[in-house]
Amino acid sequence: MPLIRGDIFITLGLIAQLENEAQLAYILAHEMSHVEEGHSLDLFLESKKINKESNRKKVLEGSVFDKGLLSKCAYSKELETEADSKGFDLFIQTAYDPKTLLGVFDVLKYSYLPFDEVAFDAEIFQTEFYRFPDNYHIHKTNAIKGVDEYADDSKSTHPSIGSRRSALKARLAKMDFAGKSEHLLDVGRFEHIRTLARFEAPILYLQNDLLAEAIYSSYLLLQKHPENKYLQKCITKALYLNAKYQLSPDYTFKYDYEDIEGELSALYHLLSYVDKKGATVLALRYSFGVLEKFPNDKEIEYIVHDLFTELAKKHKDSSIFYDDAEKTDPPTSQIDTSENLLVVSKYEKIKQEKGGDGVGGYEYWRYAFVDYLQNEKFKEGYEAGLAELKRQEDIRDYNKSREGYRALKKERKLEERKGHALGIDKVVLVNPTYLQLDVRKNKEGVRYIKTEIGQENLHQIMEEMADRSNLGIEIMDVTDLKKSDVDKFNEIRFLNDWFNDQVRRYDLSLTQGLNQAEVDKIADKYGTDYFLWT
């Protein structure tokens, strides 16, 4: 057996979709076969050989078509087929029931869907007074089609789902299933692990800007865990991000519900109709309600404060919102179709149909805070939003003024002449990376030995520089971790996720990262708010 560590990784998304322990065992058997047969090394060496040969042929033949890609995919499919076969041989030596294995290919066929299919009820957002117009709701969700099982797999690293399913069916037809079981351990243990994986889904969706998916997966889990704080916070963060994206002139954030299958399409349809004004109101309405349940949560506090500030930019006076359900606008989702509308222009009618700002139209969002406008905390929040808006405007006006320009120019000259001291006591370096490359012709790229030596030297130089500067320093590096350093590995993961949040969304003026509470704990543990990425 080749000298390979044999680490096997299974994605949270896959675990979240599986039906039972036997399916997980089969997937592990498949991956173990890859390790035992040394497939990773084989594929690496074969790919190098194919690259060299295909590049030579492209030069000689003047071809722009990459035949090497097809060769690599074909070879990879051979290895996958072998792992399917040997993995099954390993699996049938256990007491697990093979009948359930065909369900693994259903998991693959529908893996792009959420981990469950439950009708989405918009009541999670609505109140007695605050109701979305009828046309915001889809009356029939889009049909589920699934991946084409026999789609062309010539450019895929895996054989088609259909061919793999057929091969497994042929082997199952010859088997006796007596005495086999879907679960050998306590069934509750598998379901607990699967639930943990499902709970990770909302935050992963948020990190990838799949906001409707984050809301829907949280909604699914709330059916069994209705008071769960984390799930309500995930929905809060998704609605908050949606509002910030809608408000930003630099982003075009769309919900193309026509392309979404299953129950998720209802939520896509709803969000596609909610404009930027409605998105801000919806986010504030929901997040303020969550803050009432969890009044000491700093993450929600910051989000609510920022949403009040965004609302203040549009409405300096909360009287724009109705404090009484008995107003002139039609109740719930009804739209006035009386003869009076005959004098309204086509464009106003369109706005009415969209629940927007048409003359006499149904502005449903005005009813959002009927039950909050006399709430002292809500009134304080609105005033704080106005004060923050005033502060931001004062800073902007000062920076534009002659006095502000002169002060900034003076500060920059001083920095150029004397430098800029950080004025801090300690900094944590996260994964300081040194990489040496050689990109000359016929060179392989990364120079691994020199990179490893350089990495050690980089650590030493940083420590020496910190000592000379009287700066406390701590280095968090995954290459230095031991098996027992699980907590530090997770800390690095949270920090890197936070950093990615800041880089990807730097111009949205967000209050925090998506996992700010975890990052704050890490900052407290290391005794500093300053973390450095090289």
Side-chain angles (χ1 to χ4, degrees), residues 181-247:
S181 174
E182 291 183 354
H183 295 273
L184 300 186
L185 304 177
D186 176 15
V187 63
R189 187 175 175 187
F190 169 80
E191 291 178 352
H192 175 66
I193 291 171
R194 184 177 64 181
T195 298
L196 290 178
R198 289 179 173 183
F199 263 78
E200 287 289 326
I203 201 72
L204 293 174
Y205 282 134
L206 282 173
Q207 288 169 351
N208 290 280
D209 283 340
L210 295 169
L211 307 184
E213 285 81 353
I215 295 170
Y216 185 70
S217 57
S218 299
Y219 173 80
L220 292 175
L221 290 164
L222 281 169
Q223 307 310 300
K224 287 188 178 180
H225 311 274
E227 300 304 319
N228 187 273
K229 177 181 176 181
Y230 161 78
L231 296 174
Q232 293 177 67
K233 285 178 68 174
C234 283
I235 294 177
T236 295
K237 292 171 183 179
L239 294 174
Y240 174 58
L241 274 176
N242 177 57
K244 297 295 276 190
Y245 276 126
Q246 300 287 6
L247 291 165

Side-chain angles (χ1 to χ4, degrees), residues 233-289:
K233 285 178 68 174
C234 283
I235 294 177
T236 295
K237 292 171 183 179
L239 294 174
Y240 174 58
L241 274 176
N242 177 57
K244 297 295 276 190
Y245 276 126
Q246 300 287 6
L247 291 165
S248 173
D250 300 320
Y251 291 89
T252 302
F253 204 79
K254 293 183 177 179
Y255 295 93
D256 296 322
Y257 63 89
E258 298 92 344
D259 301 328
I260 303 300
E261 298 175 14
E263 299 296 341
L264 180 62
S265 62
L267 180 55
Y268 261 78
H269 185 276
L270 174 64
L271 293 175
S272 72
Y273 272 75
V274 177
D275 62 13
K276 60 185 177 181
K277 184 183 294 182
T280 307
V281 171
L282 171 59
L284 181 55
R285 166 78 224 185
Y286 186 85
S287 60
F288 190 82

Side-chain angles (χ1 to χ4, degrees), residues 348-380:
E348 297 299 341
K349 291 177 183 176
I350 292 171
K351 287 180 181 179
Q352 284 190 23
E353 173 65 15
K354 288 185 173 294
D357 299 329
V359 176
Y362 169 52
E363 297 173 315
Y364 74 96
W365 50 267
R366 289 176 182 260
Y367 292 96
F369 308 120
V370 168
D371 50 342
Y372 281 150
L373 287 177
Q374 302 309 317
N375 180 304
E376 288 302 319
K377 291 288 185 185
F378 189 87
K379 289 194 280 189
E380 288 172 10

Side-chain angles (χ1 to χ4, degrees), residues 89-158:
D89 291 339
L90 183 61
F91 177 87
I92 59 176
Q93 296 176 44
T94 72
Y96 284 115
D97 187 353
K99 288 199 302 293
T100 189
L101 297 188
L102 291 175
V104 173
F105 297 107
D106 288 329
V107 169
L108 298 177
K109 183 181 177 76
Y110 301 106
S111 62
Y112 61 93
L113 295 172
F115 53 76
D116 203 352
E117 275 290 298
V118 174
F120 180 78
D121 189 350
E123 286 300 313
I124 192 174
F125 299 137
Q126 299 183 127
T127 69
E128 179 185 355
F129 312 108
Y130 173 58
R131 316 292 296 177
F132 299 114
D134 277 341
N135 57 312
Y136 282 39
H137 305 286
I138 199 170
H139 297 295
K140 184 179 180 182
T141 56
N142 297 333
I144 295 174
K145 301 174 183 176
V147 174
D148 181 358
E149 290 201 21
Y150 291 97
D152 178 17
D153 61 6
S154 61
K155 295 181 182 179
S156 172
T157 56
H158 287 62

Side-chain angles (χ1 to χ4, degrees), residues 49-104:
K49 178 181 173 184
I50 290 171
N51 282 342
K52 189 173 181 181
E53 183 64 20
S54 63
N55 287 339
R56 186 181 71 83
K57 285 186 176 180
K58 280 171 74 173
V59 171
L60 292 176
E61 300 170 5
S63 171
V64 294
F65 178 68
D66 191 357
K67 295 179 181 176
L69 173 64
L70 299 183
S71 300
K72 280 187 276 188
C73 288
Y75 186 72
S76 176
K77 283 195 283 287
E78 285 180 29
L79 301 184
E80 291 298 334
T81 300
E82 184 179 2
D84 275 350
S85 177
K86 291 185 180 296
F88 184 79
D89 291 339
L90 183 61
F91 177 87
I92 59 176
Q93 296 176 44
T94 72
Y96 284 115
D97 187 353
K99 288 199 302 293
T100 189
L101 297 188
L102 291 175
V104 173

